[in-house]
Amino acid sequence: GQNSAVVALAGLRTLVASFASLRATEQFTNTEWPELDESVNTTVQLSPKTGYYWDIGGWHLAYNAAAFYRNDPQLSRLRAEAESRRWVTKGKEFFERGTRNNPDNWRLAAALGNLYSSAYHFPEDRKAVDAYSRAWATGKADPRVRRNLLQARARVGEDPKVLLAELRDIL
């Protein structure tokens, strides 16, 4: 809001981001998902180069909030599924923004790939391939990212002979 903008201009962006992140943690504890959504977005607006804020925010949105709504006994099955999908989509969009703001952060790209690969979070294998490819292209990624990339490429139907040759190269 306006107060955050004034403080940000005063050079206290990281301090305000820390407080917004702490507020999001409290909102997670209290399952206040719409408020948490606002807090994690405020946090990354104030500190867009801090990968941790993107990672934890995306995790809360796509995993925690989505699971909460998917398992909410007060919602009909159809409504629970729709709410869960809505929060997974918010998480995917959040991670996408994070990877655009931090293109050299392989962890964010890999986290996005993991989300796109997850059977419980409406998988999109072609997007998983893209995310894992971005993570691997940084030259800093953990070797597991390459394995995950090969698995995602197999799920989209790439030539098994090519994939097998690359797998042998890993081994």
Side-chain angles (χ1 to χ4, degrees):
Q2 191 173 18
N3 289 341
S4 294
V6 171
V7 174
L9 294 174
L12 299 174
R13 293 169 64 103
T14 55
L15 179 62
V16 176
S18 297
F19 283 117
S21 179
L22 289 172
R23 184 173 58 231
T25 300
E26 182 178 344
Q27 292 160 339
F28 161 68
T29 302
N30 297 329
T31 63
E32 298 168 344
W33 306 115
E35 295 83 1
L36 180 139
D37 184 20
E38 184 178 325
S39 292
V40 297
N41 277 290
T42 297
T43 302
V44 297
Q45 285 175 339
L46 293 168
S47 189
K49 297 297 181 190
T50 304
Y52 171 78
Y53 292 148
W54 289 103
D55 191 19
I56 198 73
W59 177 68
H60 280 317
L61 298 173
Y63 293 89
N64 294 324
F68 174 84
Y69 286 106
R70 183 175 45 250
N71 298 313
D72 188 344
Q74 296 177 344
L75 298 177
S76 70
R77 187 172 181 195
L78 186 61
R79 182 71 180 156
E81 180 79 10
E83 282 299 309
S84 178
R85 183 178 295 273
R86 185 169 76 88
W87 286 91
V88 167
T89 299
K90 282 178 178 267
K92 287 176 179 178
E93 290 169 354
F94 192 85
F95 274 123
E96 286 286 0
R97 284 183 22 235
T99 60
R100 283 193 303 274
N101 276 288
N102 299 278
D104 293 331
N105 188 322
W106 71 267
R107 285 182 169 83
L108 285 178
L112 179 60
N114 292 341
L115 180 56
Y116 279 132
S117 292
S118 172
Y120 300 104
H121 296 91
F122 315 102
E124 299 178 65
D125 290 319
R126 292 201 185 282
K127 289 183 178 182
V129 168
D130 179 55
Y132 287 135
S133 294
R134 285 186 276 157
W136 190 248
T138 66
K140 303 171 191 170
D142 186 286
R144 291 174 292 179
V145 171
R146 188 167 180 205
R147 182 194 68 208
N148 292 346
L149 173 58
L150 289 173
Q151 290 172 335
R153 289 171 53 198
R155 287 192 304 272
V156 297
E158 285 196 29
D159 184 356
K161 290 178 183 177
V162 172
L163 296 173
L164 183 58
E166 289 186 42
L167 182 59
R168 285 189 177 128
D169 183 49
I170 291 175
L171 297 175

